[in-house]
Amino acid sequence: AEMRQGHPEKAFTLYKNALFMVEFDEDFEEHSDEEDADHHELPPLEDVHAERVRCLSNLAAASLAALDETREEPSIEGYAGKAKRYSQRALKLKKDDAKLWFRKGRAELLLGEISTAATSFAEAARMSPQDPNVRKYLQEARAACQAERNACRSMEKAMSDTSSWVDDLQETSRNQLKPKKEYASEEERKADIEYNKRQLLYHFEKAKVKPESDCEEQDEELE
């Protein structure tokens, strides 16, 4: 009733109290015949499990509704985390419930667990293939997974390009920091300097322009 009236937080509290009562009934101790006569007959264990699943499922639904109403930031400690945990507990008792997989997927999507959310929605879609809401969320989760993979590939490529650039920079630095040539003696160093000088003079003379006197003689011949 509280859920239908738009009070999910109140409904959450009521469902939690109901769950406590169900779990208390399940954890009964064996009594003797004389003691049993003074107690009400306990329900079959299967019925207790079924009621527990209903409570857990309703708690997950109330958690999601409360998250929407309060506009709370999704967190593992908040309503989103509670919706996930209650769904997981219920699925341990009833794995073939499409609603439970769907609610688990919604909680995981809110928590940013895109890959696991897509898996949960796929399970819900397998059990309830005609549900448009399930198909919608499954498509959204798969699109988000693809976008996440593309972003990872782009980041890996950028890191690879950066690594290559860093390698080139390091190689350039190593070349610039090569140690100076070492000589066995002072005479060897001087001889190397003289050799470099002769090489420099040779190239300089080779590229040297003709003297101005030669140019003047050519000008006189033209007159």
Side-chain angles (χ1 to χ4, degrees):
E2 295 291 347
M3 283 286 287
R4 287 193 295 271
Q5 293 172 9
H7 305 302
E9 289 186 286
K10 290 182 179 179
F12 178 87
T13 302
L14 292 174
Y15 289 137
K16 197 168 183 181
N17 292 337
L19 178 64
F20 175 80
M21 293 176 65
V22 171
E23 290 183 334
F24 177 78
D25 282 343
E26 182 185 345
D27 296 332
F28 64 91
E29 297 180 357
E30 295 292 339
H31 299 284
S32 63
D33 295 338
E34 293 78 10
E35 291 175 326
D36 288 341
D38 298 331
H39 291 79
H40 295 292
E41 183 179 353
L42 292 171
L45 194 57
E46 293 77 9
D47 292 348
V48 174
H49 281 319
E51 191 60 34
R52 176 189 267 187
V53 169
R54 280 192 290 270
C55 289
L56 290 168
S57 180
N58 287 334
L59 276 167
S63 297
L64 292 169
L67 183 66
D68 292 337
E69 184 186 53
T70 60
R71 300 181 182 276
E72 175 188 275
E73 185 71 22
S75 68
I76 197 67
E77 296 82 12
Y79 280 118
K82 291 174 182 177
K84 177 184 175 180
R85 289 192 294 274
Y86 286 128
S87 299
Q88 288 174 322
R89 286 177 60 185
L91 284 168
K92 289 180 180 179
L93 299 171
K94 189 179 181 183
K95 294 182 178 180
D96 59 346
D97 192 311
K99 286 184 178 181
L100 288 173
W101 283 107
F102 177 70
R103 288 165 184 168
K104 178 174 175 285
R106 280 198 59 198
E108 290 165 338
L109 196 61
L110 288 166
L111 292 169
E113 301 170 5
I114 300 172
S115 178
T116 52
T119 301
S120 295
F121 289 135
E123 283 294 315
R126 183 177 64 82
M127 298 172 195
S128 184
Q130 303 304 320
D131 190 324
N133 213 25
V134 171
R135 292 202 305 270
K136 172 192 169 187
Y137 274 91
L138 176 59
Q139 290 173 355
E140 289 180 1
R142 284 178 173 172
C145 282
Q146 186 60 48
E148 192 175 63
R149 284 193 291 269
N150 293 340
C152 287
R153 291 193 192 100
S154 299
M155 185 177 294
E156 287 173 0
K157 186 178 184 303
M159 291 176 67
S160 176
D161 293 343
T162 302
S163 177
S164 177
W165 177 80
V166 170
D167 290 341
D168 292 342
L169 182 61
Q170 290 175 341
E171 181 64 25
T172 303
S173 299
R174 282 194 294 269
N175 292 333
Q176 290 176 347
L177 296 174
K178 282 183 178 179
K180 294 181 179 180
K181 185 176 179 181
E182 296 182 1
Y183 299 98
S185 65
E186 181 65 18
E187 289 75 13
E188 184 180 348
R189 186 183 71 82
K190 290 180 178 179
D192 193 40
I193 291 173
E194 288 298 325
Y195 171 79
N196 291 331
K197 282 182 179 179
R198 287 195 298 272
Q199 289 292 317
L200 183 61
L201 287 171
Y202 169 76
H203 290 294
F204 178 75
E205 291 294 335
K206 192 175 180 180
K208 189 177 180 182
V209 296
K210 291 184 177 182
E212 293 183 2
S213 58
D214 292 343
C215 294
E216 289 173 356
E217 289 176 2
Q218 290 181 4
D219 290 341
E220 290 175 359
E221 290 176 359
L222 289 173
E223 290 177 358

